[in-house]
């Protein structure tokens, strides 16, 4: 007997793209498009049950078993390192984690580099790989302001188009890692719902391939 898969979807623009991919993969859910205050939405054939959560919380829901699978950005997985299985790169929400700073900035290896970021673990691991001594300044918003006001030398943050950086006299200096949306699974759920989760993963992989063929 087929088992229902609980799916944590990230709210926002990325979540809408993810839902579209799921529905094209055969997991359509008319109820999720209705105007209502419902929090959980089940597909007509009960193959999956969706619910929306804050993007940064998806991995928590999956790790703790409230959801069997979910979609989280690679940046979240790198920063928090949740105990989940990363099954598939969906190819959505492509951007990059990068070091950025004032245009023309040159690092002086003889002094500690001041790094402002929301992603402290990622920054620490990246510079540890270079044996570079850094001072991490953890901020929760307006990261670009830090080097402008002299609080930091550089920042480590998500860069999509680079427009915000350019408007503030900053530029990408180094790429830390590519970032995109990943399908993740709860470790226990994967053991007990292996067939259902593998089928879902396979269908999503097919849809990703079709998107790439069509250049979308």
């Amino acid at each position: 007997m087929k088992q229902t898969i609980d799916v944590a979807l990230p709210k926002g623009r990325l979540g809408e793209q993810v839902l579209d991919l799921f529905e094209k993969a055969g997991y359509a859910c008319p109820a999720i498009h209705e105007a209502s205050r419902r929090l959980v939405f089940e597909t007509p054939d009960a193959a999956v049950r969706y619910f929306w959560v804050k993007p940064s919380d998806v991995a928590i829901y999956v790790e703790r078993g409230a959801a069997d699978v979910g979609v989280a950005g690679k940046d979240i997985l790198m920063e928090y390192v949740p105990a989940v299985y990363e099954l598939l790169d969906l190819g959505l929400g492509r951007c990059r984690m990068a070091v950025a700073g004032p245009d023309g900035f040159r690092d002086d290896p003889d002094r500690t580099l001041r790094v402002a970021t929301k992603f402290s673990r990622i920054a620490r691991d990246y510079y540890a790989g270079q044996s570079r001594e850094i001072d991490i300044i953890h901020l929760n918003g307006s990261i670009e302001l830090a080097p402008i006001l002299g609080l930091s030398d550089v920042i480590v943050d998500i860069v999509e188009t680079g427009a915000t950086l350019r408007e503030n006299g900053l530029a990408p200096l180094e790429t830390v890692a590519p970032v995109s949306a990943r399908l993740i699974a709860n470790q226990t759920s994967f053991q007990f719902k292996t067939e259902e989760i593998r089928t879902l993963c396979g269908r999503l992989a097919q849809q990703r391939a079709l998107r790439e063929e069509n250049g979308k």
Side-chain angles (χ1 to χ4, degrees):
M1 181 178 177
K2 295 283 186 180
Q3 302 181 80
T4 300
I5 302 175
D6 288 317
V7 182
L9 296 174
K11 292 180 180 178
R13 183 180 64 177
L14 175 61
E16 296 295 340
Q17 294 176 325
V18 169
L19 177 61
D20 180 63
L21 195 69
F22 270 76
E23 294 198 311
K24 287 178 177 175
Y27 299 90
C29 183
I32 203 170
H33 299 285
E34 299 172 359
S36 72
R37 295 182 179 273
R38 291 175 58 188
L39 300 176
V40 180
F41 308 88
E42 193 166 302
T43 56
D45 61 359
V48 300
R49 185 163 46 229
Y50 297 116
F51 53 92
W52 297 106
V53 300
K54 186 177 179 180
S56 58
D57 289 343
V58 169
I60 298 173
Y61 277 85
V62 175
E63 181 180 36
R64 297 280 183 160
D68 299 311
V69 302
V71 176
K74 183 62 176 180
D75 54 318
I76 298 298
L77 303 181
M78 291 172 64
E79 180 65 18
Y80 298 106
V81 196
V84 298
Y85 293 137
E86 184 179 328
L87 304 179
L88 178 66
D89 181 350
L90 296 177
L92 299 172
R94 291 185 185 277
C95 52
R96 58 180 169 143
M97 184 69 64
V99 178
D103 200 4
F105 173 79
R106 295 293 180 270
D107 186 10
D108 180 358
D110 293 329
R111 68 180 185 83
T112 300
L113 183 69
R114 298 172 301 159
V115 182
T117 186
K118 289 182 284 190
F119 302 97
S120 297
R121 180 194 292 268
I122 293 174
R124 188 178 295 110
D125 290 349
Y126 177 69
Y127 282 107
Q130 300 180 6
S131 299
R132 183 67 170 94
E133 184 177 348
I134 64 171
D135 174 18
I136 290 182
I137 303 164
H138 187 91
L139 298 175
N140 295 308
S142 301
I143 305 297
E144 296 84 2
L145 194 59
I148 294 173
L149 298 183
L151 178 63
S152 73
D153 300 307
V154 296
I155 64 173
V156 171
D157 202 9
I158 293 291
V159 175
E160 190 169 355
T161 65
T164 301
L165 294 177
R166 289 191 296 272
E167 289 178 6
N168 290 282
L170 306 177
L173 303 175
E174 306 167 41
T175 295
V176 176
V179 172
S180 57
R182 310 299 170 97
L183 179 70
I184 59 175
N186 174 270
Q187 294 180 351
T188 301
S189 295
F190 192 77
Q191 294 180 25
F192 290 95
K193 299 183 179 181
T194 306
E195 180 182 349
E196 290 83 0
I197 293 176
R198 285 191 181 279
T199 297
L200 170 65
C201 187
R203 291 182 180 180
L204 291 173
Q206 290 176 344
Q207 288 304 312
R208 175 193 163 168
L210 288 173
R211 282 174 55 91
E212 292 179 347
E213 286 179 12
N214 295 329
K216 296 183 179 179

